[in-house]
Amino acid sequence: MSKKGQKEGSLSEQLNEDVLTRLRSKKSELKQHEAERHEQERQRRLEERKKQEANKSFEELLNESELDWKTFKK
């Protein structure tokens, strides 16, 4: 199409209201799905972290401890 055949103005002005409404609802739906996906990923990482914490060996727990045996030796 030539530029002379096109109407001047924005895309929203050229689309009818029904199409514009459907596009906006689809956009909000996609945003909601993305937020749900992020929340599920966060929950999965939290569960994974809890499982790792529960399965730590005594050596790992001892190495992470803030206690210093030298202070109790005196």
Side-chain angles (χ1 to χ4, degrees):
M1 284 186 5
S2 68
K3 290 187 177 185
K4 292 179 182 178
Q6 294 178 349
K7 292 182 179 178
E8 295 292 325
S10 68
L11 182 63
S12 64
E13 292 172 351
Q14 294 176 4
L15 294 175
N16 67 22
E17 283 299 313
D18 182 43
V19 173
L20 196 56
T21 304
R22 284 188 286 160
L23 286 173
R24 286 181 180 147
S25 67
K26 186 67 172 177
K27 180 181 176 182
S28 65
E29 181 182 322
L30 289 173
K31 280 185 179 181
Q32 182 181 2
H33 285 299
E34 185 69 17
E36 290 172 0
R37 189 182 66 76
H38 281 292
E39 180 62 25
Q40 289 174 350
E41 180 67 21
R42 189 185 68 78
Q43 290 292 334
R44 185 191 63 79
R45 283 184 285 188
L46 184 62
E47 289 293 322
E48 186 176 304
R49 191 176 305 129
K50 284 181 182 180
K51 285 180 184 178
Q52 287 176 350
E53 189 72 28
N55 293 329
K56 284 189 178 181
S57 68
F58 181 74
E59 180 182 5
E60 290 171 326
L61 292 171
L62 188 60
N63 288 338
E64 291 177 1
S65 174
E66 298 293 325
L67 298 176
D68 186 13
W69 65 271
K70 292 176 185 175
T71 59
F72 295 107
K73 188 177 176 182
K74 294 180 182 179

